[in-house]
Amino acid sequence: DSGVTQTPKHLITATGQRVTLRCSPRSGDLSVYWYQQSLDQGLQFLIQYYNGEERAKGNILERFSAQQFPDLHSELNLSSLELGDSALYFCASSLKTGYNEQFFGPGTRLTVL
Amino acid sequence: AQSVAQPEDQVNVAEGNPLTVKCTYSVSGNPYLFWYVQYPNRGLQFLLKYITGDNLVKGSYGFEAEFNKSQTSFHLKKPSALVSDSALYFCAVRGTTGNQFYFGTGTSLTVIP
């Protein structure tokens, strides 16, 4: 158990809908990262927050957004969902940033029908 | 452009034999290099990292990796493979002049009893 929790574990929804994925980092970790893992794209870095502020942005679509709250938990919002958004979404946390190793949550499997 | 490559999608090795999983990278500035392992239906787990210092890095479960700056490589090694090492292995890199993390496409390791 990495100490990172993600809810829900599974999510099934329809095209055009909006969903919110939630992540609670390990106790004491200030950075939260979001990743998308799919068979054709591999593991793609989406976005990083550090202590409530956006620190780095990767291949995140404009339909997707995230935030980190004062208690350091984070949410990833996915809107106008398309079939191609079906994937495993991982959250990870680290103590600070840069050279700190990341601890990954168990993931949320999103299926868009 | 910053990137990381894992040239082998699949590596098979007999139990007890040494194993190598290859990784090369391209990054701005000095690299921070990481190896992670993913077991089926689980999140990624940190194995080891190179930040600076000794080129040979030792990590969890008997794994080690060697940083080679001239060849821009960071290959993962283990002297004697176990069946339980069978999993998906990811190399990741972050440059010191940027905040994005780049993951390789993963190498599926199968250790044959």
Side-chain angles (χ1 to χ4, degrees):
Chain A
D1 184 3
S2 66
V4 178
T5 60
Q6 288 186 250
T7 56
K9 191 171 182 178
H10 300 280
L11 198 48
I12 301 174
T13 188
T15 55
Q17 296 298 305
R18 171 189 170 95
V19 298
T20 298
L21 312 184
R22 182 187 170 100
C23 169
S24 293
R26 287 190 324 156
S27 177
D29 284 357
L30 298 177
S31 273
V32 170
Y33 310 78
W34 285 98
Y35 294 89
Q36 179 193 58
Q37 186 178 36
S38 60
L39 285 175
D40 56 342
Q41 296 283 339
L43 190 64
Q44 298 286 317
F45 167 70
L46 296 178
I47 197 164
Q48 177 202 355
Y49 279 83
Y50 174 72
N51 205 20
E53 295 190 2
E54 183 182 305
R55 177 59 65 96
K57 194 176 258 192
N59 300 321
I60 188 166
L61 300 172
E62 286 191 11
R63 300 184 285 108
F64 296 180
S65 65
Q67 55 183 327
Q68 186 180 28
F69 295 86
D71 66 353
L72 300 178
H73 91 272
S74 177
E75 292 181 357
L76 179 66
N77 299 296
L78 315 176
S79 62
S80 302
L81 285 168
E82 302 175 359
L83 296 177
D85 297 327
S86 295
L88 196 52
Y89 290 84
F90 285 110
C91 167
S93 71
S94 69
L95 183 60
K96 292 183 180 178
T97 187
Y99 54 81
N100 294 128
E101 58 269 33
Q102 297 175 36
F103 294 85
F104 282 73
T108 293
R109 183 169 294 281
L110 173 66
T111 302
V112 182
L113 301 175
Chain B
Q2 303 187 81
S3 64
V4 59
Q6 294 179 242
E8 300 160 319
D9 291 336
Q10 174 82 37
V11 170
N12 297 324
V13 63
E15 185 177 22
N17 283 2
L19 69 87
T20 298
V21 183
K22 296 179 180 178
C23 172
T24 59
Y25 66 90
S26 172
V27 71
S28 300
N30 293 319
Y32 297 147
L33 293 155
F34 304 81
W35 275 103
Y36 290 85
V37 60
Q38 185 179 28
Y39 297 99
N41 301 313
R42 301 286 296 275
L44 278 69
Q45 295 178 32
F46 169 76
L47 279 179
L48 50 79
K49 67 180 178 182
Y50 172 83
I51 304 302
T52 186
D54 194 351
N55 289 344
L56 185 63
V57 178
K58 293 189 183 296
S60 306
Y61 313 119
F63 284 94
E64 58 188 29
E66 185 166 11
F67 170 64
N68 188 316
K69 188 172 184 177
S70 63
Q71 296 186 7
T72 61
S73 67
F74 189 56
H75 299 332
L76 181 70
K77 299 181 180 183
K78 187 174 183 180
S80 179
L82 300 173
V83 173
S84 57
D85 293 330
S86 298
L88 191 56
Y89 290 81
F90 290 93
C91 180
V93 66
R94 177 187 177 275
T96 54
T97 57
N99 286 323
Q100 288 197 29
F101 280 87
Y102 296 89
F103 278 76
T105 50
T107 297
S108 179
L109 173 68
T110 300
V111 180
I112 303 165

